[in-house]
Amino acid sequence: MLSTNEPGTTSWPWRAFLIAFALSFAVLAAWSVASPHMASPDEPAHAVKAAATVRGQFHADETQYRAGRGDFQVPELFAQAWSQPCYAFHPDVTAGCSPQVTGELDKIVAATSHVARYNPIYYAWIGIPTLFPLSEHTFTAMRLMSALLNAALVGLTFAVLVRLRRPLLPIAGTLAALTPMTFFIGGSMTPQGPEVFGSMLTAVALLAIVFDPRGALLAQRAWMLLAGATFFVLARGLSPAYLAFTVVVVILVAPSLATVGSVIKDRRFRWPLILCASVSVAALAYTLSSGSLALGVVYPDPSLTARDVVVGMLRNTDYYLEQILGVFGWGDTHLPMWLLILVGGVAVFVGVFGLALGGARGRLVLFGILAASIVVPILAQVMSYKDSGMVWQGKYVLPIAMLAPLVAGFLAERQEAVSFALGSRLLRVLACVFGAYETIAIVVNIHRYINGANGPWLELVPGAWHPTAPAWLTVLLVATACVGATVAIARFSSRLTLLNEFGATELRTADSSNG
């Protein structure tokens, strides 16, 4: 487990990285294997794009389609991906309806993807398993490649967190940001995974730099910032705009603008900053030059007006919030209301601490983040509704919405109004609640595919789906990982409290020597 060395020694962050990486990968891998093929929206399109990318096809034949949608020449397996989600939008239909993958799976055929213009970086990574002998398990292997990348980003996030002077409430804010929806996304084939987890690492690294500006840690945090920002901005077309919003929020909430200025001028921050800017410019240039914001699948409605869009999206605010917390499958697998309240309650709990202890400027920023989570989707939809219709989903705004609990945790901890002992107890309780609802969420998801959303819990229905790995084993894996995370957090927070109570002088000396 975590070392008893002081915060600031090199053993803490990398041990934290390994623990967080292993535990998060276990949960993400469980989501990957506990869902049927193509259980996430647009996974068939992402699978086709990935298979094409690793075979050197970066442009689709769009002659018969609207911009952003086109045909790639890929193995037959990926053309069959489109027949797999026969249960989509039908919550009472089990995944047993999916046809068997058959035929000459490596025969090259035309297959359609409506993400034809998306940035190829992510697809080159998850497409690697498609270069090996093909079978239905290729889809699962592609998901696991995505889970591996996302788990690494989670691990780096916690490596930053454990080196904070006062890490307890920032860790609580991070747990609140990791809703069941983020794990569902992270275990699927979608570039939104690295966008979500990359945005989390980016925000935490930036907040750590301005709230705990120790010079000895600046270089390490700067390189982790570069890692998060790279995967963040290269993921999707809107990601550079989300990154810009994150930077503005951090600057506004920073305890001292002088600290921000000194960090920018510090030579240890120079190269990571230059590389971050270069990657962001490259991502923006790709988006503009490729037209990757073009929607390959649309639902136009000529009767829609801008007023209809605004009113409709405001009325659907509760559903968009539900999607941020956890709506799985093709938007047809819902968590029970009591569980949604529990998941949202953790974020509200951390948010109240941030509002109470964050000062006037901090409170304004938090309310600004909440307002942006509502306003930004409306603006984006108003700009595109004539071509696309109403296609916005709540999960699209996760990189902005996640900032609320992350910022709240840093704001609350900075005031030192909560003692280490009380903060430790609060964090341990939140970790237990976090582990419980993450485990229950995957149980709800598995049940939906085996027996249907309204099917029985204690017996199999006709046509029940049988997952690749036994359901009980998958749930056990998630439960074990969640218990492991709770124990790791409890031991870390308890030892940090002991160090503060019995070694406060040594801690202050160590902090002073680290700048």
Side-chain angles (χ1 to χ4, degrees), residues 226-246:
L226 174 62
T230 297
F231 289 107
F232 182 10
V233 298
L234 293 175
R236 288 159 47 90
L238 287 176
S239 299
Y242 287 157
L243 174 62
F245 181 85
T246 301

Side-chain angles (χ1 to χ4, degrees), residues 423-445:
S424 176
R425 294 188 187 99
L426 289 174
L427 181 57
R428 278 178 279 177
V429 171
L430 288 182
C432 290
V433 174
F434 171 83
Y437 65 60
E438 296 293 351
T439 304
I440 297 171
I442 199 169
V443 170
V444 172
N445 184 66

Side-chain angles (χ1 to χ4, degrees), residues 355 358-370 411:
L355 289 172
R361 182 153 51 93
R363 285 191 282 271
L364 284 175
V365 171
L366 285 174
F367 281 123
I369 294 171
L370 295 177
L411 286 172

Side-chain angles (χ1 to χ4, degrees), residues 24-48 50 87 122-123 125-127 129 138-151 153 179-197 235-236 327-331 333 393 395 398 442 445 449:
S24 59
F25 180 69
V27 176
L28 291 169
W31 276 101
S32 298
V33 303
S35 300
H37 301 316
M38 310 299 121
S40 179
D42 304 325
E43 270 197 308
H46 295 310
V48 171
Y87 46 78
Y122 169 77
Y123 296 100
W125 171 252
I126 68 165
T138 300
F139 296 134
T140 302
M142 295 170 74
R143 280 184 181 159
L144 291 174
M145 291 294 287
S146 190
L148 192 67
L149 171 60
N150 296 323
L153 294 171
T179 65
M181 191 66 181
T182 65
F183 284 105
F184 168 71
I185 292 170
S188 305
M189 278 186 280
T190 169
Q192 196 178 9
E195 180 187 48
V196 166
F197 293 103
R236 288 159 47 90
V327 177
F328 313 129
W330 291 67
T333 304
Q393 298 181 49
K395 64 180 183 178
L398 266 168
I442 199 169
N445 184 66
Y449 289 112

Side-chain angles (χ1 to χ4, degrees), residues 219 222-234 243 267-284:
W223 289 110
M224 290 188 182
L225 168 64
L226 174 62
T230 297
F231 289 107
F232 182 10
V233 298
L234 293 175
L243 174 62
R267 59 180 178 80
R268 290 167 293 191
F269 193 63
R270 184 178 306 157
W271 277 109
L273 178 61
I274 291 173
L275 292 174
C276 278
S278 300
V279 172
S280 300
V281 170
L284 183 60

Side-chain angles (χ1 to χ4, degrees), residues 8 47 69 72 115 136 187 236 265 269 349 504:
R69 181 183 179 92
F72 289 104
V115 296
E136 63 177 339
R236 288 159 47 90
K265 296 175 183 177
F269 193 63
F349 180 81

Side-chain angles (χ1 to χ4, degrees), residues 214-228:
R214 284 177 285 171
L217 302 180
L218 179 58
Q220 181 188 85
R221 290 168 172 170
W223 289 110
M224 290 188 182
L225 168 64
L226 174 62

